[in-house]
Amino acid sequence: MQAYAQLHGAEPRIELLPEKKLVGKKLTMTLTNNRTAELWGSFMPRRKEVQNTISSDLYSMQVYDPSLDFKNFTPDTVFEKWATTEVTEFTDIPEGMERYILKGGLYAVFIHKGAPSAFMKTFQFIFGYWIPQSGYEVDNREHFELLGEKYKNNHPDSEEEIWVPIRTVN
């Protein structure tokens, strides 16, 4: 936990995200049966087919069952994983891709620096340390990683944003 805080700063940005229109592909998976490479391997060669894109940023999104209590999350929890890009409007959706409206709302935004192999430490910091002490709890909306210009797939200097939906504790 200390290593994450030293590298990235202990406090995330808190942002109110507007609704976003996304187009991409999805697969159902668990952390135990992680199909992320398969998903992105099928999306990336075709991402230029998506019309009306806003930027070159990509969204790696997880959609969980609305009834999930994140205190009970395990490596075998089933979720939908999406590989997407943001668009201004839903026209001419490429065959084999789908549209998705990301609801938006309040998010804690963390920075992950490094290769995917170091991701678990970042998640342990977020869910094991920051959330329990923050005055917030995880909300049942989409989680996503924003893969922007600093993202360098599998490179130790890669940087991405982890967006965790939050709400104040009642």
Side-chain angles (χ1 to χ4, degrees):
M1 305 309 159
Q2 196 75 13
Y4 177 88
Q6 288 173 342
L7 266 178
H8 310 293
E11 290 301 312
R13 291 188 332 260
I14 305 298
E15 289 206 19
L16 186 57
L17 184 75
E19 180 179 281
K20 293 187 174 288
K21 294 179 175 96
L22 304 174
V23 171
K25 300 184 89 175
K26 71 178 177 183
L27 285 175
T28 300
M29 63 182 78
T30 65
L31 294 179
T32 304
N33 182 24
N34 191 332
R35 300 173 66 195
T36 301
E38 175 187 346
L39 174 63
W40 282 95
S42 71
F43 176 71
M44 289 303 287
R46 299 189 55 214
R47 73 181 185 160
K48 299 270 192 236
E49 295 175 33
V50 178
Q51 302 294 308
N52 307 311
T53 56
I54 289 180
S55 72
S56 61
D57 291 350
L58 300 170
Y59 292 76
S60 181
M61 183 174 60
Q62 295 75 231
V63 179
Y64 299 97
D65 185 305
S67 66
L68 175 66
D69 180 345
F70 278 89
K71 294 177 183 112
N72 299 325
F73 185 88
T74 72
D76 295 316
T77 299
V78 176
F79 59 93
E80 281 182 359
K81 178 88 161 198
W82 287 75
T84 69
T85 189
E86 186 178 5
V87 297
T88 55
E89 59 184 303
F90 293 128
T91 55
D92 299 320
I93 308 289
E95 188 175 328
M97 292 193 197
E98 297 179 54
R99 63 187 217 151
Y100 189 94
I101 296 178
L102 192 151
K103 295 173 195 73
L106 196 62
Y107 278 83
V109 184
F110 299 84
I111 303 297
H112 173 74
K113 293 181 183 175
S117 59
F119 225 65
M120 191 51 67
K121 288 181 182 164
T122 302
F123 277 110
Q124 287 171 339
F125 173 80
I126 295 168
F127 295 101
Y129 178 77
W130 189 83
I131 293 281
Q133 297 185 24
S134 69
Y136 295 102
E137 60 189 5
V138 178
D139 198 4
N140 287 327
R141 289 179 284 117
E142 304 89 343
H143 295 231
F144 65 91
E145 292 79 50
L146 180 59
L147 313 177
E149 60 187 39
K150 294 182 180 180
Y151 179 73
K152 303 172 187 160
N153 190 27
N154 292 322
H155 193 280
D157 293 333
S158 184
E159 189 173 310
E160 62 193 88
E161 294 181 348
I162 300 170
W163 290 65
V164 178
I166 56 173
R167 64 179 175 238
T168 53
V169 175
N170 295 330

